[in-house]
Amino acid sequence: MAMLDGGELLARTLKAAGVEEAFALHGGHLEALFQGCVNNQIRLTDTRHEAAAGHAADGYARSTGKLGVCIVTSGPGFTNVISAVLNAQLDATPTLFIVGAPPLREVETNPLQGGFDQIAMITPAAKWAHRITNPERIPVLTAQAIRMATTGRPGAVVLELPVDVLHMPVDAADVWPAHGMPRGRPRPAPSADEAARLVAFLAGAERPAIMIGGGARYAECGAALARFAELSGIPVVSNTRARGVLDPDHRLNAGAFGTLGVIGALQGLQADRVLILGARLGLLTGGRSPGMLPTDVRIAQVDIEPEEIGRVRDVELSVCADVGSALEALLAAGADAAWPDWSAWSGALVGLRSADEMMFASADPAAPMMHPYLAAKAVVQTAQGKARDPIFVLDGGEAASWAEYHVRARRPGSLLTHGYLGCLGIGQGMAVGAQRAHPDRRVVHVTGDGAVGFHIQEFDTMVRHGLPIVTVVLNNFVWGMSIHGQDAMYGPNRRVITELADTSYDAVAAAFGCYAERVERLADLPAAMERALASGRPACLNVLVDGEPILPATLALLGGAGGGDDEIVIPYYENIPIRRSPAGA
Protein backbone atom coordinates (compact mmCIF):
# COMPACT_ATOMS: atom_id res chain seq x y z
CA MET A 1 0.00 0.00 0.00
CA ALA A 2 1.05 3.66 -0.50
CA MET A 3 2.76 5.50 2.32
CA LEU A 4 1.38 9.00 3.01
CA ASP A 5 2.69 11.56 5.46
CA GLY A 6 0.45 13.63 7.73
CA GLY A 7 0.80 16.75 5.63
CA GLU A 8 -0.50 14.99 2.53
CA LEU A 9 -3.38 13.46 4.49
CA LEU A 10 -4.36 16.85 5.89
CA ALA A 11 -4.16 18.61 2.52
CA ARG A 12 -6.24 15.89 0.84
CA THR A 13 -8.88 16.22 3.52
CA LEU A 14 -9.03 20.00 3.12
CA LYS A 15 -9.32 19.63 -0.65
CA ALA A 16 -12.12 17.10 -0.28
CA ALA A 17 -13.95 19.65 1.89
CA GLY A 18 -13.78 22.21 -0.92
CA VAL A 19 -10.87 24.26 0.43
CA GLU A 20 -9.04 26.05 -2.39
CA GLU A 21 -7.36 28.89 -0.47
CA ALA A 22 -5.34 29.05 2.73
CA PHE A 23 -3.51 31.95 4.38
CA ALA A 24 -0.21 31.29 6.07
CA LEU A 25 3.22 32.36 7.24
CA HIS A 26 6.02 29.88 6.79
CA GLY A 27 7.28 27.74 9.64
CA GLY A 28 9.40 24.60 9.34
CA HIS A 29 7.03 22.63 11.58
CA LEU A 30 4.48 22.72 8.75
CA GLU A 31 6.65 21.88 5.74
CA ALA A 32 4.86 18.60 5.01
CA LEU A 33 1.51 20.41 4.94
CA PHE A 34 2.79 23.13 2.62
CA GLN A 35 4.02 20.47 0.23
CA GLY A 36 0.66 18.73 0.50
CA CYS A 37 -1.14 21.96 -0.37
CA VAL A 38 0.98 22.28 -3.54
CA ASN A 39 0.24 18.66 -4.44
CA ASN A 40 -3.49 19.21 -4.00
CA GLN A 41 -3.80 22.62 -5.69
CA ILE A 42 -4.60 24.58 -2.53
CA ARG A 43 -3.28 28.09 -3.08
CA LEU A 44 -1.22 29.52 -0.23
CA THR A 45 -1.18 33.28 0.34
CA ASP A 46 1.61 34.15 2.75
CA THR A 47 1.47 37.31 4.86
CA ARG A 48 4.12 39.14 6.89
CA HIS A 49 2.53 38.51 10.31
CA GLU A 50 0.52 35.58 11.63
CA ALA A 51 -2.31 37.81 12.86
CA ALA A 52 -2.75 39.13 9.33
CA ALA A 53 -2.95 35.56 8.02
CA GLY A 54 -5.67 34.84 10.58
CA HIS A 55 -7.60 37.98 9.69
CA ALA A 56 -7.26 37.08 6.00
CA ALA A 57 -8.90 33.69 6.64
CA ASP A 58 -11.59 35.52 8.60
CA GLY A 59 -12.12 38.03 5.77
CA TYR A 60 -12.28 35.24 3.20
CA ALA A 61 -14.97 33.48 5.25
CA ARG A 62 -17.00 36.65 5.88
CA SER A 63 -16.99 37.65 2.24
CA THR A 64 -17.85 34.21 0.84
CA GLY A 65 -19.76 32.38 3.58
CA LYS A 66 -17.27 29.51 3.13
CA LEU A 67 -14.67 28.09 5.49
CA GLY A 68 -11.57 30.25 5.94
CA VAL A 69 -8.28 28.45 6.62
CA CYS A 70 -5.17 29.83 8.33
CA ILE A 71 -1.89 27.92 8.80
CA VAL A 72 0.75 29.18 11.25
CA THR A 73 3.72 27.71 13.05
CA SER A 74 4.11 26.94 16.74
CA GLY A 75 5.25 29.10 19.64
CA PRO A 76 5.31 32.77 18.59
CA GLY A 77 3.41 31.96 15.39
CA PHE A 78 0.63 30.55 17.54
CA THR A 79 0.65 33.37 20.08
CA ASN A 80 0.60 35.96 17.28
CA VAL A 81 -2.60 34.49 15.84
CA ILE A 82 -4.62 34.32 19.06
CA SER A 83 -6.33 37.68 18.47
CA ALA A 84 -7.45 36.51 15.02
CA VAL A 85 -8.85 33.28 16.49
CA LEU A 86 -10.83 35.18 19.09
CA ASN A 87 -12.01 37.80 16.59
CA ALA A 88 -13.43 35.07 14.35
CA GLN A 89 -14.97 33.20 17.27
CA LEU A 90 -16.73 36.19 18.80
CA ASP A 91 -18.19 37.13 15.42
CA ALA A 92 -19.18 33.53 14.62
CA THR A 93 -17.06 33.26 11.46
CA PRO A 94 -16.40 29.73 10.10
CA THR A 95 -12.61 29.46 10.32
CA LEU A 96 -10.06 26.67 10.75
CA PHE A 97 -6.70 27.54 12.31
CA ILE A 98 -3.99 24.92 11.82
CA VAL A 99 -0.98 25.40 14.10
CA GLY A 100 2.30 23.55 14.31
CA ALA A 101 3.93 22.22 17.47
CA PRO A 102 7.22 20.64 18.61
CA PRO A 103 7.48 16.84 18.38
CA LEU A 104 5.38 14.84 20.81
CA ARG A 105 8.42 12.69 21.50
CA GLU A 106 10.28 15.75 22.82
CA VAL A 107 7.67 16.91 25.33
CA GLU A 108 9.22 18.29 28.53
CA THR A 109 12.67 18.70 26.98
CA ASN A 110 12.50 22.51 26.64
CA PRO A 111 12.24 22.26 22.82
CA LEU A 112 12.31 25.14 20.33
CA GLN A 113 9.03 27.09 20.27
CA GLY A 114 7.53 24.80 22.89
CA GLY A 115 7.39 24.51 26.65
CA PHE A 116 3.72 25.51 26.98
CA ASP A 117 0.35 23.96 26.18
CA GLN A 118 -1.08 25.67 23.10
CA ILE A 119 -4.39 23.81 23.23
CA ALA A 120 -4.93 24.64 26.90
CA MET A 121 -4.26 28.29 26.08
CA ILE A 122 -6.58 28.54 23.06
CA THR A 123 -9.49 26.36 24.19
CA PRO A 124 -11.37 29.17 26.00
CA ALA A 125 -11.02 31.38 22.89
CA ALA A 126 -12.24 28.91 20.28
CA LYS A 127 -15.37 26.94 19.51
CA TRP A 128 -13.29 23.76 19.60
CA ALA A 129 -9.57 23.00 19.84
CA HIS A 130 -7.76 19.68 19.56
CA ARG A 131 -4.25 18.24 19.35
CA ILE A 132 -3.87 15.43 16.81
CA THR A 133 -1.48 12.81 18.14
CA ASN A 134 -1.67 10.11 15.44
CA PRO A 135 -1.24 10.67 11.69
CA GLU A 136 -3.77 7.91 10.98
CA ARG A 137 -6.52 10.05 12.52
CA ILE A 138 -5.74 13.30 10.70
CA PRO A 139 -8.54 12.96 8.10
CA VAL A 140 -11.32 12.07 10.54
CA LEU A 141 -10.36 14.74 13.09
CA THR A 142 -9.97 17.38 10.39
CA ALA A 143 -13.45 16.52 9.15
CA GLN A 144 -14.73 16.94 12.70
CA ALA A 145 -13.02 20.33 12.96
CA ILE A 146 -14.61 21.52 9.72
CA ARG A 147 -17.99 20.28 10.89
CA MET A 148 -17.58 22.18 14.15
CA ALA A 149 -16.53 25.38 12.37
CA THR A 150 -19.33 25.45 9.80
CA THR A 151 -22.44 24.02 11.47
CA GLY A 152 -24.72 25.33 14.18
CA ARG A 153 -23.47 28.78 15.07
CA PRO A 154 -20.22 28.98 13.06
CA GLY A 155 -16.98 29.71 14.81
CA ALA A 156 -13.22 29.36 15.03
CA VAL A 157 -11.68 25.92 15.55
CA VAL A 158 -8.02 25.09 16.12
CA LEU A 159 -6.10 21.96 15.19
CA GLU A 160 -2.58 21.47 16.53
CA LEU A 161 -0.30 19.23 14.48
CA PRO A 162 3.02 18.34 16.16
CA VAL A 163 5.83 18.21 13.62
CA ASP A 164 6.48 14.48 14.07
CA VAL A 165 2.76 13.68 13.56
CA LEU A 166 2.62 15.88 10.46
CA HIS A 167 5.78 14.45 8.85
CA MET A 168 5.27 10.80 9.84
CA PRO A 169 4.52 8.46 6.85
CA VAL A 170 1.79 5.88 7.45
CA ASP A 171 0.30 3.07 5.43
CA ALA A 172 -2.82 4.30 3.63
CA ALA A 173 -4.62 1.14 4.80
CA ASP A 174 -4.29 2.29 8.41
CA VAL A 175 -5.81 5.72 7.90
CA TRP A 176 -9.20 6.52 9.41
CA PRO A 177 -11.35 7.93 6.58
CA ALA A 178 -12.83 11.40 6.90
CA HIS A 179 -16.38 10.42 7.75
CA GLY A 180 -18.84 13.10 8.82
CA MET A 181 -17.60 15.69 6.35
CA PRO A 182 -20.30 18.41 6.23
CA ARG A 183 -22.31 18.45 3.00
CA GLY A 184 -24.02 21.80 3.40
CA ARG A 185 -25.27 23.29 6.64
CA PRO A 186 -28.12 21.70 8.61
CA ARG A 187 -31.16 23.99 8.58
CA PRO A 188 -33.38 23.21 11.59
CA ALA A 189 -36.84 24.69 11.11
CA PRO A 190 -39.46 25.94 13.57
CA SER A 191 -42.56 23.88 14.14
CA ALA A 192 -45.83 24.96 12.53
CA ASP A 193 -47.06 26.06 15.96
CA GLU A 194 -43.96 28.19 16.57
CA ALA A 195 -44.34 29.84 13.17
CA ALA A 196 -48.02 30.57 13.82
CA ARG A 197 -47.19 32.14 17.19
CA LEU A 198 -44.52 34.31 15.61
CA VAL A 199 -47.01 35.53 13.00
CA ALA A 200 -49.59 36.30 15.68
CA PHE A 201 -46.95 38.08 17.75
CA LEU A 202 -45.98 40.34 14.84
CA ALA A 203 -49.52 40.92 13.59
CA GLY A 204 -50.50 42.29 17.01
CA ALA A 205 -47.89 45.06 16.90
CA GLU A 206 -48.40 48.77 16.37
CA ARG A 207 -44.80 49.48 15.38
CA PRO A 208 -42.99 46.21 14.57
CA ALA A 209 -39.42 45.78 13.33
CA ILE A 210 -37.22 42.92 12.19
CA MET A 211 -33.57 42.92 13.25
CA ILE A 212 -31.21 40.68 11.27
CA GLY A 213 -27.66 39.63 12.11
CA GLY A 214 -24.92 37.23 11.08
CA GLY A 215 -27.26 34.25 11.32
CA ALA A 216 -29.19 35.71 8.41
CA ARG A 217 -26.01 36.28 6.44
CA TYR A 218 -24.92 32.64 6.64
CA ALA A 219 -28.46 31.34 6.06
CA GLU A 220 -28.43 32.81 2.52
CA CYS A 221 -31.99 33.97 3.01
CA GLY A 222 -32.10 37.32 1.22
CA ALA A 223 -34.92 36.38 -1.14
CA ALA A 224 -37.06 34.90 1.65
CA LEU A 225 -36.44 37.95 3.85
CA ALA A 226 -37.53 40.34 1.08
CA ARG A 227 -40.68 38.31 0.44
CA PHE A 228 -41.63 38.21 4.10
CA ALA A 229 -40.96 41.92 4.60
CA GLU A 230 -43.19 42.68 1.61
CA LEU A 231 -45.89 40.25 2.74
CA SER A 232 -46.05 41.67 6.26
CA GLY A 233 -45.03 45.27 5.60
CA ILE A 234 -42.53 45.17 8.50
CA PRO A 235 -39.36 47.30 8.19
CA VAL A 236 -35.97 45.61 8.52
CA VAL A 237 -32.78 46.82 10.22
CA SER A 238 -29.45 45.01 10.13
CA ASN A 239 -26.06 44.92 11.79
CA THR A 240 -22.86 45.17 9.76
CA ARG A 241 -22.51 41.41 9.34
CA ALA A 242 -25.96 41.20 7.74
CA ARG A 243 -25.58 44.23 5.49
CA GLY A 244 -26.43 43.24 1.92
CA VAL A 245 -28.86 40.44 2.85
CA LEU A 246 -31.65 42.88 1.95
CA ASP A 247 -31.02 45.27 -0.93
CA PRO A 248 -30.11 48.72 0.44
CA ASP A 249 -32.73 50.35 -1.81
CA HIS A 250 -35.55 48.04 -0.76
CA ARG A 251 -38.54 50.09 0.38
CA LEU A 252 -38.54 48.33 3.77
CA ASN A 253 -34.79 48.46 4.44
CA ALA A 254 -34.40 50.91 7.34
CA GLY A 255 -30.62 50.64 7.54
CA ALA A 256 -28.61 49.95 10.67
CA PHE A 257 -29.84 48.87 14.10
CA GLY A 258 -29.22 52.40 15.32
CA THR A 259 -32.18 53.66 13.30
CA LEU A 260 -34.43 52.27 16.03
CA GLY A 261 -32.72 54.61 18.49
CA VAL A 262 -32.68 57.59 16.13
CA ILE A 263 -36.44 57.51 15.57
CA GLY A 264 -37.00 57.59 19.31
CA ALA A 265 -34.66 60.53 19.77
CA LEU A 266 -35.96 62.57 16.81
CA GLN A 267 -39.63 61.64 16.59
CA GLY A 268 -40.53 60.11 19.94
CA LEU A 269 -41.51 56.84 18.26
CA GLN A 270 -40.30 53.43 19.36
CA ALA A 271 -40.77 49.89 18.16
CA ASP A 272 -43.18 47.99 20.37
CA ARG A 273 -42.52 44.46 19.05
CA VAL A 274 -39.28 43.24 17.51
CA LEU A 275 -38.36 39.98 15.82
CA ILE A 276 -34.63 39.31 16.11
CA LEU A 277 -33.30 36.95 13.43
CA GLY A 278 -29.80 35.59 13.95
CA ALA A 279 -28.48 38.57 15.91
CA ARG A 280 -27.14 38.28 19.43
CA LEU A 281 -28.32 40.61 22.16
CA GLY A 282 -25.46 42.68 23.56
CA LEU A 283 -23.50 45.87 22.97
CA LEU A 284 -24.36 46.02 19.26
CA THR A 285 -28.09 45.88 20.01
CA GLY A 286 -27.77 48.60 22.63
CA GLY A 287 -26.91 46.39 25.61
CA ARG A 288 -29.27 46.90 28.54
CA SER A 289 -29.86 50.53 27.61
CA PRO A 290 -33.38 51.38 26.41
CA GLY A 291 -32.07 53.68 23.68
CA MET A 292 -32.38 51.11 20.88
CA LEU A 293 -34.75 48.56 22.39
CA PRO A 294 -37.13 50.25 24.84
CA THR A 295 -37.57 48.76 28.28
CA ASP A 296 -41.14 47.67 27.50
CA VAL A 297 -40.49 46.36 23.96
CA ARG A 298 -41.75 42.83 23.38
CA ILE A 299 -39.14 40.59 21.76
CA ALA A 300 -39.24 37.37 19.76
CA GLN A 301 -35.90 35.82 18.91
CA VAL A 302 -34.85 33.18 16.41
CA ASP A 303 -31.33 31.80 16.72
CA ILE A 304 -29.63 28.54 15.85
CA GLU A 305 -27.81 28.65 19.20
CA PRO A 306 -30.43 28.23 21.96
CA GLU A 307 -28.25 29.57 24.78
CA GLU A 308 -28.02 32.94 23.00
CA ILE A 309 -31.77 33.47 23.21
CA GLY A 310 -32.67 35.83 26.03
CA ARG A 311 -29.18 37.07 26.80
CA VAL A 312 -29.37 40.61 28.27
CA ARG A 313 -33.11 41.08 27.64
CA ASP A 314 -36.24 39.06 28.34
CA VAL A 315 -37.64 37.29 25.27
CA GLU A 316 -41.37 36.56 24.95
CA LEU A 317 -41.07 34.01 22.12
CA SER A 318 -37.91 31.98 21.57
CA VAL A 319 -37.33 29.72 18.58
CA CYS A 320 -34.20 27.64 18.00
CA ALA A 321 -33.92 27.44 14.22
CA ASP A 322 -31.97 28.42 11.14
CA VAL A 323 -32.96 31.92 10.07
CA GLY A 324 -33.64 30.89 6.48
CA SER A 325 -35.86 28.01 7.56
CA ALA A 326 -37.67 30.32 9.97
CA LEU A 327 -38.41 32.83 7.20
CA GLU A 328 -39.76 30.09 4.94
CA ALA A 329 -42.02 28.95 7.80
CA LEU A 330 -43.16 32.54 8.42
CA LEU A 331 -44.02 32.95 4.75
CA ALA A 332 -46.18 29.84 4.87
CA ALA A 333 -47.81 30.69 8.20
CA GLY A 334 -48.37 34.33 7.29
CA ALA A 335 -49.67 33.90 3.76
CA ASP A 336 -53.31 34.36 4.80
CA ALA A 337 -52.78 36.52 7.89
CA ALA A 338 -54.54 39.86 8.27
CA TRP A 339 -51.46 42.10 8.38
CA PRO A 340 -52.17 45.66 9.57
CA ASP A 341 -51.16 48.69 7.52
CA TRP A 342 -47.86 49.86 9.00
CA SER A 343 -46.90 52.12 6.10
CA ALA A 344 -46.78 55.29 8.21
CA TRP A 345 -44.47 53.65 10.75
CA SER A 346 -42.26 51.91 8.18
CA GLY A 347 -42.06 55.08 6.10
CA ALA A 348 -40.93 57.08 9.12
CA LEU A 349 -38.31 54.50 10.05
CA VAL A 350 -36.98 53.97 6.52
CA GLY A 351 -36.86 57.73 6.07
CA LEU A 352 -34.24 57.94 8.81
CA ARG A 353 -31.76 55.53 7.27
CA SER A 354 -29.96 58.61 5.96
CA ALA A 355 -30.22 60.57 9.20
CA ASP A 356 -26.47 61.09 9.04
CA GLU A 357 -27.01 63.56 6.20
CA MET A 358 -28.98 65.72 8.62
CA MET A 359 -26.48 65.30 11.45
CA PHE A 360 -23.57 66.51 9.33
CA ALA A 361 -25.37 68.99 7.10
CA SER A 362 -23.21 71.80 8.50
CA ALA A 363 -19.91 70.14 7.54
CA ASP A 364 -18.09 72.62 5.29
CA PRO A 365 -16.70 71.14 2.05
CA ALA A 366 -14.36 74.12 1.72
CA ALA A 367 -12.90 73.93 5.23
CA PRO A 368 -9.06 74.00 5.44
CA MET A 369 -9.07 70.47 6.91
CA MET A 370 -11.43 67.86 5.50
CA HIS A 371 -14.33 66.81 7.68
CA PRO A 372 -13.96 63.01 8.06
CA TYR A 373 -17.63 62.48 7.20
CA LEU A 374 -17.20 64.26 3.86
CA ALA A 375 -13.86 62.57 3.15
CA ALA A 376 -15.32 59.12 3.77
CA LYS A 377 -18.33 60.00 1.61
CA ALA A 378 -16.08 61.01 -1.31
CA VAL A 379 -14.05 57.80 -1.01
CA VAL A 380 -16.99 55.41 -0.73
CA GLN A 381 -19.19 57.06 -3.34
CA THR A 382 -16.34 57.26 -5.85
CA ALA A 383 -15.58 53.57 -5.35
CA GLN A 384 -19.24 52.63 -5.68
CA GLY A 385 -19.52 54.71 -8.84
CA LYS A 386 -16.36 53.50 -10.55
CA ALA A 387 -16.03 49.87 -9.42
CA ARG A 388 -18.59 47.14 -9.95
CA ASP A 389 -20.01 45.97 -6.64
CA PRO A 390 -16.95 46.79 -4.48
CA ILE A 391 -16.18 45.15 -1.14
CA PHE A 392 -15.44 47.52 1.74
CA VAL A 393 -13.19 46.56 4.64
CA LEU A 394 -13.41 49.11 7.45
CA ASP A 395 -10.84 49.33 10.24
CA GLY A 396 -10.01 51.77 13.00
CA GLY A 397 -12.10 53.35 15.73
CA GLU A 398 -13.97 56.34 14.33
CA ALA A 399 -12.56 55.92 10.80
CA ALA A 400 -14.56 52.74 10.25
CA SER A 401 -17.79 54.38 11.38
CA TRP A 402 -17.29 57.49 9.23
CA ALA A 403 -17.06 55.20 6.20
CA GLU A 404 -19.89 52.89 7.24
CA TYR A 405 -22.40 55.73 6.95
CA HIS A 406 -21.96 55.67 3.18
CA VAL A 407 -21.52 52.00 2.20
CA ARG A 408 -24.39 50.53 0.15
CA ALA A 409 -23.77 46.79 0.33
CA ARG A 410 -25.69 44.98 -2.39
CA ARG A 411 -24.52 41.47 -1.55
CA PRO A 412 -23.86 39.69 1.74
CA GLY A 413 -20.21 39.83 2.70
CA SER A 414 -19.64 43.17 0.98
CA LEU A 415 -19.02 45.07 4.23
CA LEU A 416 -16.41 43.69 6.63
CA THR A 417 -15.68 45.54 9.84
CA HIS A 418 -15.33 45.25 13.60
CA GLY A 419 -17.41 43.08 15.86
CA TYR A 420 -17.41 42.18 19.53
CA LEU A 421 -13.63 41.93 20.00
CA GLY A 422 -13.20 45.51 18.80
CA CYS A 423 -9.81 44.53 17.41
CA LEU A 424 -7.91 47.23 15.52
CA GLY A 425 -5.57 46.16 12.73
CA ILE A 426 -7.94 43.64 11.16
CA GLY A 427 -8.20 45.61 7.94
CA GLN A 428 -5.12 44.65 5.95
CA GLY A 429 -5.61 40.93 6.54
CA MET A 430 -9.34 40.97 5.88
CA ALA A 431 -8.77 42.93 2.69
CA VAL A 432 -6.24 40.32 1.51
CA GLY A 433 -8.70 37.51 2.24
CA ALA A 434 -11.60 39.27 0.53
CA GLN A 435 -9.54 40.12 -2.57
CA ARG A 436 -8.33 36.52 -2.88
CA ALA A 437 -11.93 35.35 -2.62
CA HIS A 438 -13.21 37.85 -5.19
CA PRO A 439 -10.58 38.60 -7.84
CA ASP A 440 -13.27 40.08 -10.10
CA ARG A 441 -14.28 42.74 -7.56
CA ARG A 442 -12.38 45.67 -6.09
CA VAL A 443 -11.64 45.74 -2.38
CA VAL A 444 -11.46 49.13 -0.69
CA HIS A 445 -9.89 49.23 2.76
CA VAL A 446 -10.73 52.35 4.79
CA THR A 447 -8.74 52.70 7.99
CA GLY A 448 -7.48 55.21 10.51
CA ASP A 449 -3.92 56.36 11.01
CA GLY A 450 -3.86 54.47 14.29
CA ALA A 451 -5.15 51.15 12.96
CA VAL A 452 -3.05 51.13 9.80
CA GLY A 453 0.12 50.95 11.90
CA PHE A 454 -0.68 47.53 13.34
CA HIS A 455 0.08 45.65 10.12
CA ILE A 456 1.47 48.23 7.73
CA GLN A 457 3.92 45.63 6.43
CA GLU A 458 1.03 43.88 4.69
CA PHE A 459 1.40 46.35 1.82
CA ASP A 460 4.21 43.97 0.89
CA THR A 461 1.77 41.04 0.87
CA MET A 462 -0.58 42.92 -1.45
CA VAL A 463 2.26 43.79 -3.85
CA ARG A 464 3.84 40.32 -3.90
CA HIS A 465 0.53 38.64 -4.64
CA GLY A 466 -0.74 41.28 -7.06
CA LEU A 467 -3.81 42.19 -5.01
CA PRO A 468 -5.19 45.57 -6.23
CA ILE A 469 -6.56 46.63 -2.85
CA VAL A 470 -7.05 50.37 -2.37
CA THR A 471 -6.21 51.42 1.19
CA VAL A 472 -7.48 54.82 2.31
CA VAL A 473 -5.98 56.17 5.53
CA LEU A 474 -8.11 58.83 7.23
CA ASN A 475 -5.18 60.59 8.88
CA ASN A 476 -6.03 63.01 11.70
CA PHE A 477 -2.85 62.54 13.80
CA VAL A 478 -4.76 61.13 16.80
CA TRP A 479 -6.37 57.98 18.12
CA GLY A 480 -9.80 59.48 17.37
CA MET A 481 -12.18 57.51 19.52
CA SER A 482 -9.71 57.49 22.39
CA ILE A 483 -8.87 61.19 22.38
CA HIS A 484 -12.49 62.28 22.02
CA GLY A 485 -13.52 60.06 24.90
CA GLN A 486 -10.64 61.37 26.97
CA ASP A 487 -11.61 64.99 26.24
CA ALA A 488 -15.24 64.33 27.13
CA MET A 489 -14.34 62.69 30.44
CA TYR A 490 -11.48 64.90 31.64
CA GLY A 491 -11.19 67.97 29.40
CA PRO A 492 -8.79 68.76 26.52
CA ASN A 493 -5.88 69.54 28.84
CA ARG A 494 -5.67 65.92 30.03
CA ARG A 495 -4.71 64.13 26.82
CA VAL A 496 -2.55 61.10 27.53
CA ILE A 497 -0.96 58.83 24.84
CA THR A 498 -3.71 59.64 22.34
CA GLU A 499 -1.82 61.80 19.83
CA LEU A 500 0.07 60.64 16.73
CA ALA A 501 2.45 62.21 14.19
CA ASP A 502 1.64 63.28 10.63
CA THR A 503 3.24 60.16 9.20
CA SER A 504 3.62 59.76 5.42
CA TYR A 505 1.71 56.51 5.07
CA ASP A 506 1.68 57.06 1.32
CA ALA A 507 5.49 57.08 1.26
CA VAL A 508 5.59 53.86 3.30
CA ALA A 509 3.18 52.18 0.86
CA ALA A 510 5.13 53.46 -2.14
CA ALA A 511 8.32 51.97 -0.70
CA PHE A 512 6.60 48.58 -0.71
CA GLY A 513 5.65 49.09 -4.39
CA CYS A 514 2.11 50.50 -4.12
CA TYR A 515 0.57 53.34 -6.06
CA ALA A 516 0.34 56.16 -3.49
CA GLU A 517 -0.84 59.74 -3.04
CA ARG A 518 -1.18 62.26 -0.24
CA VAL A 519 -4.50 64.14 -0.41
CA GLU A 520 -5.07 67.36 1.56
CA ARG A 521 -8.16 68.90 -0.10
CA LEU A 522 -11.66 67.46 -0.40
CA ALA A 523 -11.96 68.73 -3.96
CA ASP A 524 -8.97 66.57 -4.96
CA LEU A 525 -10.13 63.38 -3.29
CA PRO A 526 -12.56 61.89 -5.88
CA ALA A 527 -9.98 62.19 -8.68
CA ALA A 528 -7.27 60.68 -6.46
CA MET A 529 -9.58 57.79 -5.67
CA GLU A 530 -10.25 57.28 -9.37
CA ARG A 531 -6.50 57.20 -10.08
CA ALA A 532 -5.93 54.67 -7.30
CA LEU A 533 -8.64 52.38 -8.70
CA ALA A 534 -7.43 52.82 -12.28
CA SER A 535 -3.84 51.95 -11.35
CA GLY A 536 -4.78 48.28 -11.09
CA ARG A 537 -2.19 47.95 -8.33
CA PRO A 538 -2.25 47.90 -4.55
CA ALA A 539 -2.73 51.56 -3.67
CA CYS A 540 -2.68 53.86 -0.67
CA LEU A 541 -4.27 57.29 -0.29
CA ASN A 542 -3.07 59.20 2.77
CA VAL A 543 -6.04 61.52 3.35
CA LEU A 544 -5.56 64.33 5.87
CA VAL A 545 -8.75 64.96 7.86
CA ASP A 546 -9.77 67.18 10.74
CA GLY A 547 -9.29 65.54 14.13
CA GLU A 548 -11.85 67.68 15.94
CA PRO A 549 -15.22 66.31 14.69
CA ILE A 550 -16.57 63.70 17.08
CA LEU A 551 -18.47 60.65 15.92
CA PRO A 552 -21.86 60.53 17.71
CA ALA A 553 -21.29 56.87 18.55
CA THR A 554 -18.18 57.82 20.53
CA LEU A 555 -20.22 59.90 22.95
CA ALA A 556 -22.94 57.24 23.04
CA LEU A 557 -20.35 54.69 24.11
CA LEU A 558 -19.46 56.92 27.04
CA GLY A 559 -22.94 56.46 28.46
CA GLY A 560 -23.45 60.17 29.10
CA ALA A 561 -20.11 61.72 29.97
CA GLY A 562 -20.42 64.41 32.63
CA GLY A 563 -23.95 63.29 33.41
CA GLY A 564 -24.04 63.88 37.16
CA ASP A 565 -22.56 63.10 40.56
CA ASP A 566 -24.36 59.82 41.10
CA GLU A 567 -22.26 57.68 38.78
CA ILE A 568 -18.74 57.15 37.49
CA VAL A 569 -18.46 57.44 33.72
CA ILE A 570 -16.40 54.71 32.05
CA PRO A 571 -15.82 54.26 28.31
CA TYR A 572 -17.65 51.55 26.32
CA TYR A 573 -19.64 50.03 29.20
CA GLU A 574 -22.44 50.90 31.59
CA ASN A 575 -21.53 53.66 34.02
CA ILE A 576 -20.83 52.64 37.61
CA PRO A 577 -23.46 53.90 40.09
CA ILE A 578 -22.19 55.47 43.30
CA ARG A 579 -23.93 54.08 46.36
CA ARG A 580 -23.82 56.66 49.13
CA SER A 581 -24.63 56.06 52.75
CA PRO A 582 -27.84 57.73 53.99
CA ALA A 583 -27.31 61.10 55.67
CA GLY A 584 -26.40 60.65 59.32
CA ALA A 585 -25.62 56.95 58.96
Side-chain angles (χ1 to χ4, degrees), residues 131-194:
R131 176 181 299 114
I132 298 181
T133 58
N134 301 91
E136 297 89 346
R137 297 199 66 200
I138 286 176
V140 70
L141 289 170
T142 302
Q144 180 170 334
I146 294 170
R147 190 167 63 249
M148 295 287 286
T150 58
T151 60
R153 186 173 79 193
V157 300
V158 179
L159 282 180
E160 181 190 271
L161 277 298
V163 60
D164 49 351
V165 174
L166 198 58
H167 286 255
M168 178 72 68
V170 295
D171 195 313
D174 295 330
V175 174
W176 295 34
H179 60 73
M181 190 76 77
R183 310 295 181 191
R185 293 187 178 94
R187 298 189 60 198
S191 67
D193 178 65
E194 286 174 322

Side-chain angles (χ1 to χ4, degrees), residues 279 337 413 423 471 528 540 544 568:
C423 180
T471 296
C540 175
L544 274 61
I568 299 171

Side-chain angles (χ1 to χ4, degrees), residues 459-475:
F459 282 126
D460 172 74
T461 300
M462 298 172 192
V463 170
R464 283 186 297 106
H465 293 285
L467 303 174
I469 297 160
V470 176
T471 296
V472 179
V473 183
L474 298 183
N475 184 3

